[in-house]
Amino acid sequence: MSSLCLQDSYDMFEMNGEVDVKMKKKKKIKKKDRLEGMKKEMDIVSVSKSLTLSPLLPLKSPQGLTSSKAAEVLERDGPNELLPPKGTPEYVKFARQLAGGLQCLMWVAAVICFIAFGIEFSRGTLGCFDDLYLAITLITVVVVTGCFGYYQEFKSTNIIASFKNLVPQQALVIRDGQKNQINAMDLVVGDLVEIKGGDRVPADIRIIFAQGCKVDNSSLTGESEPQSKTPECTHENPLETKNIAFFSTTCLEGVATGTVINTGDRTIIGRIASLASGVGNEKTPIAIEIEHFVDIIAGLAIFFGFTFFVVAMFIGYAFLEAMIFFMAIVVAYVPEGLLATVTVCLSLTAKRLARKNCVVKNLEAVETLGSTSVICSDKTGTLTQNRMTVAHLWFDNVIHAADTTEDQSGQSFDQSSETWRSLARVAGLCNRAIFKPNQESLPIPRRIVVGDASETALLKFTELAIGNMMEYRERFKKVVEVPFNSTNKFQLSVHELEDPMDLRYLLVMKGAPERILERCSTILIKGQEMPLDEQWREAFQTAYMDLGSLGERVLGFCHIYLNENEFPRGYKFDSDEMNFTTSGLCFAGLISMIDPPRATVPDAVMKCRHHSLPHCDHPITARAIAANVGIITEGSETVEDIATRKRIPVEQVNRRDARACVISGGQLKDMSSEELDEALRSHPEMVFARTSPQQKLIIVESCQRLGSIVAVTGDGVNDSPALKKADIGIAMGIAGSDAAKNAADMILLDDNFASIVTGVEQGRLIFDNLKKSIAYTLTKNIPELTPYLIYITVSVPLPLGCITILMIELATDIFPSVSLAYEKAESDIMHLKPRNPRKDRLVNESLAAYSYFQIGAIQSFAGFTDYFTAMAQEGWYPLLCVGLRSHWEDVHLQDLQDSYGQEWEWTSRLYQQYTCYTVFFISIEICQIADVLIRKTRRLSIFQQGFFRNKVLVSAIVFQLLLGNLLCYCPGMPNIFNFMPIRGQWWFVPIPYGILIFVYDEIRKLGVRRHPGSK
Amino acid sequence: MAKDAEKSTWKDFIWNSRTREFCGRTGSSWGLILLFYLVFYIFLAGMFCLTMYVMLQTLDDYKPTWQDRLGTPGMMIRPRGKAMEISYNTTNTETWDMYIKTLDNFLSPYNNSLQAEKNEECTPDQYFVQADSGDVKNNPKRSCQFNRTFLEKCSGLDDHTYGYQAGKPCIIIKLNRVIGMLPGKDGQAPFVTCGAKRYKVGKDEWKEDSDKIGEVEYYPENGTFNLMYYPYYGKKAQVNYSQPLVAIKFLNITLNEDINIECRIISNNIPPGSVRDKFAGKVSFKLRINTKG
């Protein structure tokens, strides 16, 4: 039987290998098809019933492989390790930094600049080098921000890399008939390995001998219940059968010997890991938003450029000149500073998140969490503490709640009852789990225990309640023990009593409650043995059902003092024969255990309140956990709940009435994708139970089809495909496997679900604040552009130069726009619904229109007022300026008359022009100060938000002013950056416009607050 | 199919006949928006005009508020030539005829008769200050005569071709007008001096044509701008101001070659312009006289 099963499963792997080969042949088929193929392949693993022909694996002698044979196989198959998914080459990562939406816009602009430079240079136009400088600056900005972003990602990658487990795994292998400890890497197919409790299974192995071996498959299947492993083949599905233990799972207890059947990437876990690398990455919402925004910018730029091209042609400019105007306008529309602003804002948030233990691998992912509308969370380890803990006790006919908090800060129950003492004694003695030595300094819940999950829970519980259990057990010397097995479903042990005068033996027993109850005739109530009559049985049943419905694992406990005469000291107890009393015992109580939710989780879920989809083990447990942490809210019912309430069959319930829904992996397998979509749409609260890696992937895809932005949390290799597919994958830093971390975009270093809430909060905040920053940055585009338009159409001397624009974009205004990232949230952003990615855009038309055509217009007028003032006060009246351009720029004209009859040579005019640049610059700066103040809030009045709350913003304004002064008054500036020391009075000219901006926006906000929802 | 849907939504966006929406808004909505922007921009324009008006009210009609850029006045030549290049062929009248015309036009207001009629004779070698007494403007301000005959051989009165035909051309130089400028102290008048211009011929190679310029004559004598023509009071107060001129005549300049000439003002209180300012207190031009057809 066993060999047949071995052959069976081995064949299946072989077959998968063939599928692999086939797929390699069809390399040209689309990625998507390949992915489908992968999924099918995984299905083959789980459903194949074929027993195809394949050479029998030669039965291994207990001698194991010979070293030479092993070396040969190792040569053939390669080392037994998961090859890291082919990481993106560094240069590709860097290139990606240079190829975002904004970056492309700037590349195009740079190319246009080069073309314009080429044309102007060949024509010998003076000042053509401005174009060259602009092109170089554009490229520099892209490259520098690219380097910055790359560096940020590099840093976080390093943090992640440092988490990798560097200690090589060891395996006990039998070769040449000798046991050797070797690196698990060197294992080959056919090797004979031994595993024992606490070991990680070093490869996929077929068990040929096992003794009480239990394996934790949670990293593979997500199930937290230990699976016992035996040599028998119990199922044709390799994932279900008992005789195969999988690579990377942990052996919890017992010992086993087996032959290696698959190594490295050919193991199940390797396949799942490779499934992840086949899943494409989704574009981040912020990237989509920025592309949308670039569309708007490009559209406006071309519209404006074309309009003025036509106007210029109409006025009578030569075609080439009009073409250059067109290019200049298009380029002027490029917000040079925005890229830097966005990058800095994102990395600031990434830093802030890192301080809260969320490491972000991809800068853009910072925002993704904020727009997330669906969180798919894995139960084990994320929502729960991932360890069984005693939750409730039933004795003296009362259910007592135990303290399940991680730090034992909760309330304890009344421990004065005599029954409790007996129950605790049974729980402590009838227990094979032991603490690993030398852990006295650790708090009890953190200590490592050898033993299965429930025994561990009981051990820790009793250790906390009674004290040193190891010593306690010493006092009650164990005489005999019958371990748990699936037929009798109980475990018992017989102990001597601690009182040396009392020569009775004590028999303690625990097990499935109904089996325990069968063997009892009395029950312990307040320390008194009472006959176990119908009334007590009913009480027991109620308590058992109650605890069971909480999704908890319930164990029954009983004991008996063996008759001294019948079993005197030295009586030969036989564990196989069970030559002692095992019925008519005294029932002590029930203890129920659960993997409790983390303390922070319910609160966190409350804050998120999207619908979440945990993948859990048992449907009922899943339901219970979900209810516990608040994923399924009070008052929302599943179809089954409604059915029970209305006392009607499940089929008759209107599915739409149920807010919540629990779907198991089995049901999911039979659902079409449409059905799944429908289910997701109609139930805001969903729980999936027992899902396989592919199913997780399907769930994520289904959510994405419905237009949601999906976050997936997970830790196991089984989660990695879903993590990769999700808009943002969140891996656990401590419990997470490398595969999960590789596939994720974000890593929670403390494994705390509450950190996700921080992430969501920060993501939403950055979205809000980016909106503000972008609005701020966009506004000045208009006052930068209008001078040029007026220059073309009205032919005034150029009011604002190219270098000056760059100084605004890249020097003075960067800090204020970044400082908006430090703005506090206006309202409780966690109460808002997640934004609708189709409607709530980063930059929508009304924001662009408001920035451009209202605030930007005011700023332009401010600039022109100051410009004409500076011109008029130096002798050039506004009307004289009109049409002056060709004379003004004639380098051979040294006696151009101003309004007073004075004559100006060319250089004086040039410096006057620089003066105009500077006053225009100052006007924009003054207005931008007003602008940054109004951008602090979108709805609230600035007086409600507070002027000085954002210290960074205040210092940014001071910095902006200082830098403005430096540019104006530092000697040498006229010839470097075309700034002139200007008259102090000209600083004050734009102030009325600044006040106008401020007042105007306050009025707008008042309107918005009074009439929410209107335009 | 998806493409079709896309197409129809795009079309719908431009003109949605069902909701009668153009680009996502109904006509009345667009109207309101346009009205809003109209009012908004009229308001802004009004504010702009108001500030402009207030600003213009603060200006003095006779003197600019600031003269920050005019510390060192520039200079200019007549005829200007094409891009400060005067080149002609003595044998071909057409090539220099335009220069003669320019000069004739330029000098016509300086005709002695006209000057005598409009302007008065002043005391030479001292500033002709016509101060206002407090708020009472002393306007219009009188101007001093600058007679065309001061330019002697370059006045164009004796030689109608200003020496162009003979290959001994006259160039007239003027100093830019700056209101209130006093171009010399201690009674020393500023004067013009012309010489060869150093120009670049290659990397770190400079050349000057000093030996090719030959003899130069200045009119009035020494090429001075007499102090009595200063200060200048602006075109509104001093309507008939005659800008003093200096003419230079090249007597035996090398023919058939490009000659780079630079004239600068020498004064004891005009600051030398910035090194980067190519045109402060100097003027440079190129002269080429061809003799062969």
Side-chain angles (χ1 to χ4, degrees):
Chain A
M1 174 67 194
S2 86
S3 83
L4 177 72
C5 194
L6 163 70
Q7 180 194 7
D8 176 9
S9 54
Y10 196 70
D11 286 347
M12 278 183 271
F13 290 118
E14 282 288 308
M15 231 189 83
N16 296 329
E18 277 166 32
V19 175
D20 262 346
V21 172
K22 264 183 219 158
M23 280 186 334
K24 267 175 205 154
K25 277 180 193 161
K26 291 188 196 167
K27 249 189 177 169
K28 278 183 186 167
I29 49 172
K30 282 181 198 164
K31 216 173 186 180
K32 204 170 176 184
D33 294 344
R34 232 179 77 199
L35 191 61
E36 293 298 319
M38 288 265 197
K39 281 184 214 156
K40 267 185 208 136
E41 176 199 347
M42 296 306 294
D43 287 342
I44 290 169
V45 174
S46 52
V47 299
S48 165
K49 288 174 186 167
S50 62
L51 295 164
T52 41
L53 337 138
S54 173
L56 250 172
L57 200 71
L59 259 180
K60 294 292 157 265
S61 65
Q63 297 290 311
L65 290 179
T66 59
S67 299
S68 54
K69 173 77 180 159
E72 194 181 296
V73 180
L74 185 66
E75 184 76 21
R76 189 192 70 197
D77 291 350
N80 171 35
E81 59 183 353
L82 292 184
L83 288 177
K86 220 182 273 165
T88 335
E90 295 298 307
Y91 69 90
V92 173
K93 276 191 201 160
F94 186 67
R96 231 178 252 163
Q97 293 285 345
L98 302 179
L102 271 179
Q103 285 90 334
C104 289
L105 187 72
M106 292 178 79
W107 284 119
V108 171
V111 169
I112 292 177
C113 280
F114 274 125
I115 295 172
F117 168 70
I119 296 174
E120 295 205 334
F121 188 71
S122 62
R123 282 155 43 109
T125 316
L126 216 91
C128 62
F129 282 94
D130 273 2
D131 283 320
L132 187 67
Y133 298 149
L134 185 55
I136 291 169
T137 315
L138 286 171
I139 294 171
T140 313
V141 169
V142 174
V143 172
V144 167
T145 48
C147 290
F148 185 76
Y150 177 75
Y151 171 70
Q152 287 292 328
E153 290 189 7
F154 180 76
K155 251 190 356 194
S156 42
T157 319
N158 267 1
I159 297 177
I160 293 151
S162 68
F163 269 78
K164 278 192 178 152
N165 193 3
L166 293 176
V167 184
Q169 201 196 337
Q170 300 284 311
L172 194 62
V173 66
I174 301 168
R175 281 183 187 169
D176 306 326
Q178 285 187 332
K179 283 189 188 182
N180 293 316
Q181 193 85 21
I182 64 164
N183 274 347
M185 253 174 65
D186 299 329
L187 281 184
V188 295
V189 173
D191 260 334
L192 211 54
V193 290
E194 273 185 20
I195 51 172
K196 59 178 192 305
D199 285 351
R200 237 176 67 149
V201 179
D204 280 0
I205 57 176
R206 188 180 69 85
I207 308 289
I208 49 179
F209 164 77
Q211 192 176 40
C213 176
K214 276 190 180 173
V215 172
D216 174 15
N217 266 354
S218 63
S219 77
L220 202 60
T221 58
E223 291 180 51
S224 60
E225 206 135 329
Q227 313 282 307
S228 64
K229 292 290 167 191
T230 53
E232 293 97 44
C233 174
T234 56
H235 206 285
E236 56 221 5
N237 182 342
L239 280 172
E240 300 277 329
T241 184
K242 286 205 168 191
N243 68 336
I244 294 181
F246 298 105
F247 186 26
S248 88
T249 57
T250 319
C251 177
L252 292 174
E253 58 177 45
V255 289
T257 311
T259 35
V260 174
I261 52 172
N262 269 311
T263 58
D265 286 333
R266 288 168 301 280
T267 56
I268 289 282
I269 204 90
R271 278 159 201 285
I272 293 173
S274 67
L275 183 61
S277 61
V279 178
N281 250 333
E282 293 294 305
K283 226 177 217 170
T284 58
I286 193 86
I288 295 169
E289 287 304 318
I290 284 177
E291 267 170 32
H292 172 247
F293 161 67
V294 167
D295 286 348
I296 294 184
I297 296 258
L300 276 174
I302 289 171
F303 170 74
F304 265 84
F306 187 73
T307 310
F308 280 87
F309 174 76
V310 172
V311 169
M313 290 295 283
F314 191 71
I315 289 174
Y317 284 104
F319 173 78
L320 213 56
E321 230 167 326
M323 202 62 214
I324 285 171
F325 290 156
F326 171 77
M327 292 186 207
I329 290 169
V330 170
V331 172
Y333 242 99
V334 176
E336 291 90 353
L338 194 59
L339 183 58
T341 306
V342 171
T343 314
V344 173
C345 285
L346 287 179
S347 56
L348 274 177
T349 310
K351 250 190 174 162
R352 219 177 293 166
L353 282 176
R355 266 203 301 274
K356 293 185 173 157
N357 287 327
C358 307
V359 175
V360 181
K361 269 167 70 180
N362 176 356
L363 269 192
E364 285 179 346
V366 168
E367 190 277 329
T368 313
L369 257 187
S371 29
T372 297
S373 46
V374 174
I375 298 180
C376 300
S377 167
D378 196 338
K379 183 206 84 173
T380 326
T382 318
L383 298 177
T384 63
Q385 299 170 17
N386 197 17
R387 61 161 177 254
M388 276 290 173
T389 308
V390 170
H392 291 99
L393 303 95
W394 180 75
F395 59 84
D396 293 349
N397 199 18
V398 179
I399 291 178
H400 302 268
D403 179 12
T404 54
T405 52
E406 284 137 298
D407 50 359
Q408 295 300 318
S409 56
Q411 285 285 317
S412 198
F413 53 92
D414 175 29
Q415 301 187 340
S416 59
S417 165
E418 192 64 35
T419 321
W420 151 244
R421 221 164 295 155
S422 303
L423 179 61
R425 188 171 61 186
V426 181
L429 293 179
C430 186
N431 192 331
R432 294 167 65 202
I434 49 163
F435 286 113
K436 279 198 174 171
N438 306 325
Q439 299 191 82
E440 283 74 18
S441 55
L442 284 172
I444 293 162
R446 296 216 174 280
R447 292 190 199 165
I448 299 166
V449 175
V450 182
D452 83 5
S454 40
E455 294 212 319
T456 304
L458 288 170
L459 174 63
K460 286 184 177 172
F461 177 67
T462 47
E463 178 89 8
L464 279 168
I466 302 175
N468 193 332
M469 277 320 288
M470 298 296 115
E471 195 195 281
Y472 186 80
R473 285 190 201 159
E474 292 289 304
R475 283 186 274 152
F476 294 85
K477 236 180 116 222
K478 195 189 281 179
V479 183
V480 74
E481 152 178 272
V482 180
F484 184 90
N485 71 48
S486 45
T487 39
N488 35 9
K489 296 210 168 162
F490 65 78
Q491 172 185 357
L492 67 77
S493 55
V494 179
H495 299 260
E496 288 173 13
L497 286 179
E498 66 181 323
D499 181 2
M501 302 309 291
D502 196 342
L503 294 178
R504 288 179 301 174
Y505 284 106
L506 172 69
L507 183 146
V508 288
M509 181 193 270
K510 75 162 186 229
E514 62 276 11
R515 292 298 183 86
I516 296 295
L517 197 72
E518 277 169 17
R519 296 171 181 273
C520 292
S521 56
T522 57
I523 181 166
L524 212 54
I525 299 294
K526 306 238 187 247
Q528 303 295 314
E529 275 191 44
M530 314 270 275
L532 188 59
D533 54 21
E534 259 324 294
Q535 187 199 338
W536 287 121
R537 279 180 198 279
E538 203 159 297
F540 163 87
Q541 276 305 332
T542 321
Y544 183 27
M545 290 301 286
D546 281 354
L547 294 176
S549 69
L550 292 173
E552 297 177 5
R553 185 189 297 173
V554 191
L555 289 175
F557 295 83
C558 63
H559 69 168
I560 192 168
Y561 293 98
L562 296 177
N563 192 317
E564 198 180 347
N565 301 329
E566 220 177 309
F567 304 100
R569 274 289 143 102
Y571 179 81
K572 282 248 185 279
F573 289 99
D574 188 337
S575 62
D576 294 328
E577 295 283 319
M578 286 207 259
N579 52 352
F580 43 82
T581 321
T582 54
S583 58
L585 310 176
C586 173
F587 190 82
L590 296 171
I591 297 182
S592 69
M593 282 151 290
I594 198 162
D595 185 3
R598 287 164 176 269
T600 45
V601 168
D603 192 35
V605 173
M606 268 305 288
K607 277 188 168 175
C608 292
R609 277 265 46 101
H610 323 297
H611 62 227
S612 314
L613 320 155
H615 313 292
C616 294
D617 39 14
H618 277 297
I620 189 155
T621 318
R623 167 84 175 82
I625 288 285
N628 257 354
V629 299
I631 290 166
I632 294 181
T633 41
E634 254 177 74
S636 52
E637 300 170 302
T638 60
V639 175
E640 288 76 15
D641 287 339
I642 295 175
T644 359
R645 181 165 55 86
K646 294 188 175 164
R647 296 178 194 283
I648 48 173
V650 174
E651 294 76 37
Q652 287 175 21
V653 177
N654 182 357
R655 296 205 159 256
R656 293 183 181 280
D657 289 348
R659 269 179 62 79
C661 179
V662 178
I663 295 178
S664 76
Q667 287 168 289
L668 189 61
K669 203 154 74 184
D670 301 329
M671 287 171 95
S672 69
S673 52
E674 286 77 29
E675 280 171 329
L676 181 60
D677 288 359
E678 178 55 36
L680 284 168
R681 210 172 304 149
S682 50
H683 306 293
E685 294 161 356
M686 294 279 292
V687 175
F688 291 91
R690 280 176 173 266
T691 51
S692 68
Q694 308 88 281
Q695 285 173 333
K696 290 182 186 186
L697 192 57
I698 289 164
I699 293 167
V700 171
E701 278 175 348
S702 183
C703 289
Q704 284 175 338
R705 255 203 310 281
L706 294 175
S708 302
I709 292 178
V710 185
V712 171
T713 70
D715 47 8
V717 177
N718 57 330
D719 297 324
S720 57
L723 286 174
K724 192 86 180 284
K725 180 73 196 169
D727 294 287
I728 178 167
I730 304 162
M732 299 296 135
I734 302 168
S737 57
D738 285 349
K741 284 182 203 164
N742 265 325
D745 303 300
M746 187 187 256
I747 289 165
L748 301 182
L749 294 185
D750 55 359
D751 285 17
N752 191 344
F753 186 77
S755 306
I756 296 178
V757 178
T758 318
V760 171
E761 216 167 340
Q762 292 294 337
R764 290 184 172 191
L765 188 59
I766 196 67
F767 189 80
D768 266 16
N769 285 346
L770 260 186
K771 227 174 188 170
K772 295 171 184 173
S773 285
I774 289 178
Y776 171 79
T777 313
L778 284 190
T779 309
K780 59 179 181 282
N781 244 357
I782 287 295
E784 284 163 5
L785 185 66
T786 42
Y788 197 70
L789 301 183
I790 298 295
Y791 166 77
I792 295 171
T793 50
V794 189
S795 290
V796 294
L798 185 62
L800 188 62
C802 165
I803 297 178
T804 323
I805 292 176
L806 289 181
M807 287 320 266
I808 298 173
E809 288 278 352
L810 299 175
T812 54
D813 273 14
I814 287 280
F815 199 22
S817 61
V818 167
S819 75
L820 283 171
Y822 287 96
E823 201 55 44
K824 296 273 181 304
E826 270 177 72
S827 52
D828 193 350
I829 39 179
M830 293 308 288
H831 279 154
L832 301 174
K833 278 196 168 158
R835 74 186 177 91
N836 180 339
R838 292 203 195 97
K839 281 190 192 143
D840 194 2
R841 312 306 301 253
L842 183 63
V843 177
N844 53 24
E845 284 72 11
S846 67
L847 181 123
Y850 181 70
S851 295
Y852 276 150
F853 303 123
Q854 296 178 33
I855 303 298
I858 298 177
Q859 294 196 353
S860 307
F861 275 106
F864 277 105
T865 307
D866 214 0
Y867 164 76
F868 283 121
T869 304
M871 284 298 272
Q873 293 200 334
E874 292 282 1
W876 304 88
Y877 282 13
L879 285 179
L880 183 69
C881 293
V882 174
L884 192 63
R885 178 170 108 89
S886 56
H887 291 304
W888 181 275
E889 290 181 350
D890 183 353
V891 75
H892 300 302
L893 185 62
Q894 306 305 341
D895 55 352
L896 187 65
Q897 276 199 25
D898 66 13
S899 305
Y900 291 93
Q902 305 185 97
E903 289 167 324
W904 292 61
E905 41 97 1
W906 184 78
T907 322
S908 314
R909 297 199 300 268
L910 186 67
Y911 283 127
Q912 176 60 25
Q913 194 175 326
Y914 290 170
T915 308
C916 295
Y917 293 178
T918 313
V919 295
F920 217 105
F921 164 81
I922 290 303
S923 308
I924 295 179
E925 289 311 293
I926 298 284
C927 290
Q928 282 292 82
I929 289 174
D931 196 22
V932 78
L933 287 177
I934 65 167
R935 300 298 184 188
K936 276 165 72 81
T937 57
R938 295 202 290 132
R939 280 172 291 270
L940 289 186
S941 163
I942 177 92
F943 297 104
Q944 288 166 300
Q945 183 86 346
F947 273 100
F948 304 110
R949 191 92 50 81
N950 185 346
K951 295 277 185 300
V952 184
L953 191 132
V954 176
S955 54
I957 293 175
V958 173
F959 171 80
Q960 189 182 17
L961 285 172
L962 288 180
L963 193 60
N965 271 296
L966 179 81
L967 287 172
C968 288
Y969 300 115
C970 180
M973 279 298 166
N975 300 314
I976 306 171
F977 292 130
N978 307 352
F979 279 88
M980 294 294 285
I982 58 161
R983 297 260 162 198
Q985 292 87 327
W986 294 333
W987 284 78
F988 296 96
V989 177
I991 285 180
Y993 287 94
I995 294 170
L996 175 69
I997 290 176
F998 189 80
V999 172
Y1000 178 67
D1001 196 65
E1002 278 297 314
I1003 293 170
R1004 180 192 68 88
K1005 283 173 191 161
L1006 189 70
V1008 169
R1009 287 198 302 276
R1010 288 272 166 83
H1011 310 284
S1014 60
K1015 181 229 155 190
Chain B
M1 209 180 101
K3 219 173 184 180
D4 282 353
E6 189 89 331
K7 219 173 175 181
S8 71
T9 55
W10 176 241
K11 261 188 193 160
D12 270 1
F13 179 70
I14 301 261
W15 172 247
N16 188 334
S17 49
R18 188 167 41 81
T19 51
R20 304 187 58 76
E21 280 175 354
F22 174 69
C23 290
R25 286 180 188 280
T26 57
S28 59
S29 172
W30 276 115
L32 272 176
I33 286 176
L34 285 180
L35 186 71
F36 167 77
Y37 276 104
L38 194 68
V39 172
F40 183 74
Y41 284 128
I42 286 175
F43 169 74
L44 276 184
M47 184 163 168
F48 176 72
C49 293
L50 184 75
T51 46
M52 279 289 105
Y53 177 76
V54 170
M55 186 269 295
L56 289 175
Q57 291 308 303
T58 65
L59 295 180
D60 188 328
D61 283 346
Y62 300 98
K63 194 174 186 298
T65 320
W66 318 109
Q67 290 175 294
D68 297 325
R69 308 284 155 253
L70 298 171
T72 312
M75 293 164 83
M76 194 56 183
I77 54 163
R78 287 290 185 279
R80 276 176 67 196
K82 201 170 146 198
M84 309 296 266
E85 264 187 69
I86 298 160
S87 89
Y88 68 96
N89 197 320
T90 46
T91 54
N92 188 350
T93 320
E94 276 174 28
T95 56
W96 47 265
D97 193 42
M98 52 185 176
Y99 299 131
I100 308 301
K101 285 218 176 86
T102 313
L103 286 175
D104 279 344
N105 274 337
F106 180 70
L107 289 177
S108 60
Y110 290 93
N111 284 338
N112 290 17
S113 54
L114 218 57
Q115 287 289 321
E117 184 188 315
K118 287 184 177 166
N119 294 341
E120 58 190 79
E121 287 185 46
C122 312
T123 326
D125 301 327
Q126 65 180 49
Y127 292 125
F128 185 44
V129 181
Q130 303 163 72
D132 298 327
S133 47
D135 284 345
V136 184
K137 299 269 190 210
N138 176 19
N139 287 339
K141 307 232 191 277
R142 289 159 295 144
S143 308
C144 296
Q145 288 180 8
F146 187 94
N147 290 328
R148 192 165 172 178
T149 46
F150 292 175
L151 300 177
E152 299 174 35
K153 284 184 192 166
C154 286
S155 65
L157 298 173
D158 307 324
D159 176 1
H160 286 289
T161 66
Y162 300 90
Y164 277 76
Q165 195 171 24
K168 297 173 179 175
C170 285
I171 306 285
I172 289 172
I173 293 172
K174 63 193 187 75
L175 184 67
N176 280 354
R177 292 194 294 261
V178 174
I179 290 175
M181 181 177 67
L182 301 170
K185 60 181 179 189
D186 309 327
Q188 290 197 354
F191 62 94
V192 173
T193 171
C194 292
K197 186 192 168 163
R198 267 161 61 85
Y199 58 94
K200 215 172 181 174
V201 287
K203 199 175 175 254
D204 293 329
E205 251 185 280
W206 294 81
K207 206 177 150 188
E208 51 179 53
D209 308 326
S210 45
D211 48 339
K212 294 173 189 161
I213 292 175
E215 208 180 326
V216 179
E217 265 183 9
Y218 298 87
Y219 314 101
E221 214 178 333
N222 299 329
T224 53
F225 294 112
N226 199 295
L227 292 184
M228 67 179 169
Y229 300 106
Y230 301 96
Y232 173 53
Y233 286 104
K235 72 176 179 188
K236 191 164 181 190
Q238 210 171 9
V239 183
N240 294 321
Y241 182 70
S242 295
Q243 195 170 11
L245 306 170
V246 165
I248 54 170
K249 192 172 177 69
F250 296 93
L251 295 178
N252 52 352
I253 192 162
T254 310
L255 302 176
N256 301 317
E257 255 183 78
D258 278 351
I259 317 250
N260 287 284
I261 297 151
E262 184 179 77
C263 295
R264 49 175 69 241
I265 185 88
I266 307 288
S267 158
N268 53 8
N269 75 341
I270 292 179
S274 125
V275 213
R276 289 170 183 275
D277 191 340
K278 290 187 285 185
F279 306 107
K282 56 189 168 192
V283 62
S284 47
F285 55 93
K286 206 187 261 180
L287 196 55
R288 183 186 180 97
I289 303 163
N290 294 324
T291 47
K292 292 154 219 159

